[in-house]
C-alpha cells in the first residue's frame, strides 16, 4: 500500500480509503447489513494496508456506523475513522447530540476526522455569524478529545469552496473528482497548498466508470484490465489527492482496488496528458448533445431534460451502456430522490424547451432517441 502525508495533520494515510456507504446488504428489501460479509470485508481491507475508513449516520439504512464500529473494535488505534454530522439546524446542543449518537453507534471514545456533512458556502457563512452554533460546538468537542480533526464534505459549486478552505476551521476536505467530473481539479490543488488533507469521493463516478467501456479502457495504449482500473489510476495519479475513497461491496472489488493503489507510477506525465486530452474531446462531444445549462427548465410536464440527456451521454459518448440503461430504469421507476424526472412519454411536444435552448438542440427528437436506446 502507498501512504501519503495527510495535509498538516502529521498523519500518514493509505492512498485507498474504504467508503462504508455500500456495504453488502441482506433481509427484506435489503434493509439490513450482512455483517457476516461486511465485517470480514472491512477487516480484509485493513490487512491489505487500508488505514482510513469513512461512514455516516444515514449510510446503509442508518446501520453503517454500527457495522464499522464492530469492524474496527480490535484495531481502533490502527485505523483512522471518519464520519459526518448532518447539520440540521443552528443548535450547538443538537450538533453535539448527533456527535454523541455517532460515538455510541461506533462504540468508540473519539472520531479521528469528523465532517460537517455536505456543506455549502451560504450555510457556512451563516454559521460564522452565530455565537453558539455548530462551529462553536465543534471546537468544544475537539477540546474535549471527542474528535481529533475537523473536516468537511462538499457538493456546492466549485467556485465556492475556497472561502471555506480559507476559514481556517478545517484540516481536511472530502470532495468529488473523477475522469468525467474534473470541476474540482483546481480546488484539489488549492486545498493541498493550504495544508488540508484531500480525500476524493466518487473516483469511479458513483459506479459509472466501473461499468465495461472500451472508450474508457482505450484511453491508454496498454489497455487496463477494466474501466474501474483506468478511473482509479487517473485519481491516484493526481499528486493533490491523498486518499481515493471507494465504496467496495465485495472482496473482488477490494482486492482489485488495493492492487491498483499499491502500484507505483500510476500514469506517466505523457499518459496523463493524453488521457486528459481525450477526455476533453469526449466532453466536447457530450456538449453537442447537451451542456446541462438548464435553460430548458422547467418543463411543463416535469421532464428533467438535462438529466435524461446526461444519462444518454454516458452511453453515447463514454460507452457506459449498461450503467446508462440501469440509471434510466431507476429514473423511470422514480425510486431515487437524486434522479427525478417525469417519463418521456409525458412530453406533449409543446416545444417550449426548444425555444429556450441556446444550442437550438432538437430536444423532442433527442428525447425520443433516448427512450428508444435506453428504454
Amino acid at each position: 500500500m502507498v501512504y501519503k502525508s495527510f495535509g498538516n495533520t502529521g498523519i500518514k494515510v493509505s492512498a485507498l480509503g474504504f467508503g462504508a456507504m455500500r456495504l453488502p446488504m441482506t433481509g427484506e428489501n435489503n434493509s439490513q447489513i450482512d455483517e457476516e460479509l461486511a465485517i470480514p470485508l472491512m477487516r480484509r481491507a485493513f490487512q491489505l494496508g487500508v488505514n482510513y475508513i469513512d461512514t455516516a449516520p444515514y449510510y446503509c439504512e442508518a446501520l453503517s456506523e454500527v457495522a464499522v464500529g464492530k469492524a474496527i473494535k480490535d484495531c481502533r488505534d490502527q485505523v483512522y475513522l471518519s464520519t459526518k454530522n448532518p447539520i440540521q439546524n443552528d443548535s450547538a446542543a443538537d450538533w453535539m447530540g448527533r456527535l454523541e449518537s455517532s460515538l455510541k453507534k461506533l462504540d468508540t471514545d473519539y472520531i479521528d476526522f469528523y465532517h460537517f456533512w455536505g456543506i455549502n458556502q451560504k450555510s457556512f457563512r451563516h454559521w460564522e455569524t452565530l455565537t453558539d452554533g455548530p462551529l462553536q460546538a465543534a471546537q468544544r468537542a475537539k477540546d474535549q478529545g471527542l474528535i481529533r480533526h475537523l473536516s468537511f464534505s462538499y457538493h456546492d459549486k466549485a467556485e465556492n469552496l475556497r472561502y471555506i478552505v480559507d476559514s481556517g476551521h478545517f484540516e481536511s476536505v472530502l470532495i468529488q473528482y473523477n475522469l468525467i467530473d474534473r470541476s474540482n481539479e483546481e480546488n484539489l490543488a488549492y486545498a493541498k497548498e493550504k495544508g488540508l488533507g484531500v480525500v476524493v469521493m466518487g473516483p469511479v463516478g458513483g459506479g459509472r466508470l466501473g461499468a465495461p467501456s472500451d472508450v474508457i479502457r482505450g484511453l491508454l495504449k496498454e489497455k487496463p484490465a477494466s474501466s474501474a482500473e483506468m478511473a482509479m489510476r487517473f485519481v491516484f495519479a493526481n499528486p493533490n489527492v491523498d486518499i481515493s475513497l471507494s465504496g467496495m461491496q465485495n472482496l473482488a472489488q477490494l482486492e482489485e482496488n488495493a492492487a491498483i493503489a499499491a502500484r507505483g507510477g500510476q500514469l506517466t506525465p505523457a499518459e496523463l496528458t493524453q488521457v486528459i486530452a481525450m477526455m476533453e474531446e469526449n466532453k466536447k462531444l457530450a456538449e453537442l448533445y447537451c451542456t446541462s445549462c438548464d435553460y430548458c427548465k422547467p418543463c411543463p410536464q416535469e421532464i428533467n431534460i438535462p438529466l435524461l440527456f446526461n444519462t444518454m451521454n454516458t452511453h453515447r459518448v463514454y460507452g457506459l451502456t449498461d450503467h446508462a440503461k440501469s440509471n434510466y430504469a431507476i429514473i423511470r421507476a422514480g425510486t431515487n430522490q437524486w434522479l427525478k424526472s417525469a417519463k418521456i412519454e409525458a412530453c406533449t411536444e409543446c416545444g417550449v424547451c426548444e425555444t429556450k435552448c441556446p444550442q437550438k438542440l432538437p430536444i423532442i427528437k433527442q428525447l425520443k432517441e433516448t427512450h428508444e436506446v435506453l428504454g
Side-chain angles (χ1 to χ4, degrees):
M1 180 60 63
V2 172
Y3 295 90
K4 298 185 178 182
S5 297
F6 200 45
N8 292 335
T9 65
I11 289 171
K12 290 280 190 178
V13 291
S14 54
L16 176 66
F18 194 107
M21 182 182 183
R22 296 184 176 88
L23 297 174
M25 305 293 286
T26 188
E28 187 176 353
N29 298 320
N30 285 329
S31 58
Q32 298 291 322
I33 291 175
D34 189 336
E35 292 191 351
E36 292 185 2
L37 294 177
I39 292 174
L41 178 65
M42 289 183 273
R43 289 177 175 167
R44 176 58 180 157
F46 306 148
Q47 292 172 356
L48 291 170
V50 173
N51 71 354
Y52 186 100
I53 187 164
D54 176 87
T55 181
Y58 301 148
Y59 289 175
C60 302
E61 303 294 327
L63 298 171
S64 177
E65 286 184 322
V66 173
V68 168
K70 293 177 180 179
I72 67 173
K73 190 66 178 175
D74 295 334
C75 57
R76 179 67 188 92
D77 60 344
Q78 301 168 38
V79 177
Y80 296 111
L81 172 62
S82 160
T83 191
K84 309 175 183 75
N85 193 312
I87 308 170
Q88 298 162 344
N89 55 36
D90 294 340
S91 168
D94 288 353
W95 189 96
M96 185 62 72
R98 290 188 291 272
L99 168 59
E100 290 170 350
S101 175
S102 285
L103 288 167
K104 184 177 181 180
K105 287 183 177 180
L106 289 158
D107 192 19
T108 186
D109 296 327
Y110 68 95
I111 293 165
D112 296 286
F113 294 93
Y114 196 53
H115 289 72
F116 276 49
W117 192 0
I119 65 175
N120 56 56
Q121 188 186 117
K122 181 179 179 180
S123 58
F124 180 74
R125 283 180 180 271
H126 170 65
W127 294 326
E128 285 186 309
T129 69
L130 303 177
T131 57
D132 190 27
L135 288 171
Q136 290 75 24
Q139 187 57 56
R140 287 196 292 271
K142 192 173 180 182
D143 293 341
Q144 294 168 19
L146 299 177
I147 58 177
R148 300 281 174 87
H149 306 277
L150 194 57
S151 310
F152 72 101
S153 64
Y154 187 80
H155 297 279
D156 196 8
K157 295 179 180 178
E159 60 266 27
N160 291 338
L161 179 129
R162 294 191 179 196
Y163 180 87
I164 302 175
V165 168
D166 290 339
S167 72
H169 288 287
F170 301 104
E171 295 176 82
S172 73
V173 59
L174 173 59
I175 195 168
Q176 177 92 8
Y177 177 68
N178 56 59
L179 260 174
I180 292 178
D181 181 4
R182 294 172 48 230
S183 59
N184 282 308
E185 200 159 65
E186 292 183 4
N187 283 332
L188 300 176
Y190 188 78
K192 183 79 168 178
E193 178 188 338
K194 293 295 181 177
L196 274 70
V198 178
V199 186
V200 161
M201 57 179 148
V204 291
R208 282 180 298 169
L209 294 166
S213 167
D214 290 339
V215 174
I216 301 299
R217 290 183 64 237
L219 293 172
L220 293 178
K221 289 182 179 178
E222 294 184 8
K223 291 185 178 182
S226 67
S227 303
E229 179 186 336
M230 180 68 251
M232 294 295 289
R233 286 178 62 186
F234 173 78
V235 174
F236 284 135
N238 190 317
N240 299 310
V241 175
D242 298 321
I243 301 172
S244 180
L245 198 62
S246 181
M248 296 165 283
Q249 294 177 296
N250 55 57
L251 281 171
Q253 290 177 351
L254 170 61
E255 299 281 353
E256 179 184 14
N257 286 349
I260 297 167
R263 63 178 290 169
Q266 297 290 347
L267 297 173
T268 67
E271 286 176 330
L272 187 58
T273 299
Q274 173 187 323
V275 167
I276 291 174
M278 293 177 71
M279 289 304 292
E280 284 297 318
E281 287 300 311
N282 287 337
K283 182 181 177 183
K284 290 177 183 177
L285 179 58
E287 289 178 349
L288 291 176
Y289 303 111
C290 181
T291 63
S292 295
C293 69
D294 286 352
Y295 285 131
C296 58
K297 289 184 173 181
C299 165
Q301 308 305 320
E302 299 185 352
I303 298 172
N304 190 335
I305 297 166
L307 171 64
L308 293 167
F309 285 176
N310 282 340
T311 303
M312 181 64 165
N313 281 342
T314 61
H315 151 71
R316 178 161 39 194
V317 178
Y318 299 104
L320 299 164
T321 304
D322 291 346
H323 185 81
K325 289 183 175 181
S326 175
N327 260 18
Y328 186 66
I330 292 171
I331 293 169
R332 291 180 66 78
T335 55
N336 188 310
Q337 62 173 324
W338 305 108
L339 301 173
K340 287 288 188 181
S341 173
K343 294 180 179 180
I344 286 176
E345 296 94 317
C347 177
T348 62
E349 301 189 19
C350 67
V352 172
C353 55
E354 294 188 354
T355 65
K356 294 189 291 185
C357 178
Q359 290 182 279
K360 305 301 179 186
L361 295 176
I363 293 175
I364 296 170
K365 177 184 177 183
Q366 287 185 199
L367 284 173
K368 291 178 180 178
E369 289 174 351
T370 297
H371 183 60
E372 289 171 3
V373 173
L374 302 182

